[in-house]
Amino acid sequence: MMSHPDDLKAAIACVQLCREIGNSAALRPFTKREVTPGNLKGVELENFIRDSVATYWHQTCTAKMGRDPMSVVDGNLKVYGIENLRIADGSILPRVTTGNTMAPCAIIGERAGEILKADHKL
């Protein structure tokens, strides 16, 4: 993270957008002041961002579902080449989602339940 100059530019743009939204007339009745990062600019804002940046560690796509040679799991969540093993988590996603991974993981879990019920006639 932050290894490329464009990473810092994107982070600064995000802070500026959040400030714009938070300081908008529509939100003014609900806010008192900007708490973090405060009125930082230039190098001070860059340092704040570098010190504050973190990830939520939502790993996905490490055992992707598909039919190509890089795929690990089929459409029934079965691992290719290994009997009686299924994967039902975010690792089967073929691409990183543009939003939080919770919803796709919940759907994968629901689908896994349906598949297992059908396979075991429950």
Side-chain angles (χ1 to χ4, degrees):
M1 297 177 63
M2 308 305 286
S3 62
H4 192 278
D6 288 347
D7 296 339
L8 183 59
K9 287 179 188 175
I12 290 170
C14 288
V15 169
Q16 290 170 338
L17 176 62
C18 289
R19 281 179 166 161
E20 185 178 326
I21 293 169
N23 293 320
S24 69
L27 291 181
R28 201 163 292 132
F30 308 104
T31 61
K32 291 183 179 180
R33 70 190 184 321
E34 179 180 333
V35 177
T36 301
N39 194 23
L40 300 180
K41 292 181 173 79
V43 174
E44 289 179 325
L45 180 59
E46 290 176 10
N47 289 338
F48 170 82
I49 290 170
R50 282 192 176 96
D51 292 341
S52 302
V53 71
T55 179
Y56 288 98
W57 298 100
H58 289 242
Q59 280 87 3
T60 59
C61 313
T62 56
K64 78 175 198 150
M65 180 191 303
R67 294 185 182 144
D68 61 77
M70 292 296 294
S71 295
V72 176
V73 178
D74 69 15
N76 285 316
L77 309 177
K78 292 181 178 181
V79 175
Y80 290 117
I82 301 177
E83 289 188 37
N84 300 318
L85 180 61
R86 295 180 197 259
I87 298 177
D89 62 25
S91 65
I92 69 162
L93 295 170
R95 286 179 296 291
V96 176
T97 61
T98 57
N100 191 289
T101 58
M102 188 275 183
C105 288
I107 293 167
I108 292 166
E110 289 289 325
R111 183 70 182 123
E114 292 170 358
I115 291 168
L116 292 172
K117 278 185 189 177
D119 282 2
H120 297 282
K121 299 181 184 13
L122 301 173

